[in-house]
Amino acid sequence: HVQLVESGGGSVQAGGSLRLSCATSGYSDSGYCMGWFRQAPGKQRVGVAALDSDGRTKYADSVKGRFTISQDNDKNTLNLQMDNQKPEDTAMYYCAAGDRRLYGPHFDDYNFWGQGTQVTVS
């Protein structure tokens, strides 16, 4: 049974930092791709950052150079360090798990999702 539980959301002023974490369990430790997505009010959910089992990463253009995706050494926790935040980063953030793709980390066809954590930047 796959479980993804996000934490670390909250409110921050523009230019500040937040760190999101996602505790994962029940997912295969081979051939995976883990990702962070966000959905702002009235908008579609979009991919923010992804990391696959080969250690490759992918970022949305809007967060490159500001956000960093990583895993703890035990690979049971997925993190998203968000620096120099902007008001447009305000959204519900979701952790998700999917299958590895040969073409690299991706924002496609994720199988499992967490409940989300709210991030507000003012």
Side-chain angles (χ1 to χ4, degrees), residues 18-20 36 48-49 67-69 78-82 93:
L18 279 176
R19 183 178 179 88
L20 304 183
W36 286 98
V48 174
F67 289 13
T68 304
I69 188 171
L78 182 73
N79 305 301
L80 184 68
Q81 178 67 38
M82 304 184 292
Y93 283 71

Side-chain angles (χ1 to χ4, degrees), residues 13-81:
Q13 290 189 335
S17 298
L18 279 176
R19 183 178 179 88
L20 304 183
S21 293
C22 175
T24 67
S25 62
Y27 201 77
S28 172
D29 61 0
S30 63
Y32 61 80
C33 187
M34 304 293 295
W36 286 98
F37 293 74
R38 68 186 182 189
Q39 186 169 20
K43 296 188 177 182
Q44 288 188 325
R45 186 165 58 191
V46 295
V48 174
L51 180 151
D52 71 10
S53 47
D54 295 324
R56 298 175 294 184
T57 58
K58 175 186 177 76
Y59 295 94
D61 288 343
S62 58
V63 306
K64 281 181 181 176
R66 301 189 298 119
F67 289 13
T68 304
I69 188 171
S70 65
Q71 277 183 307
D72 287 357
N73 287 339
D74 61 7
K75 298 189 178 181
N76 289 331
T77 304
L78 182 73
N79 305 301
L80 184 68
Q81 178 67 38

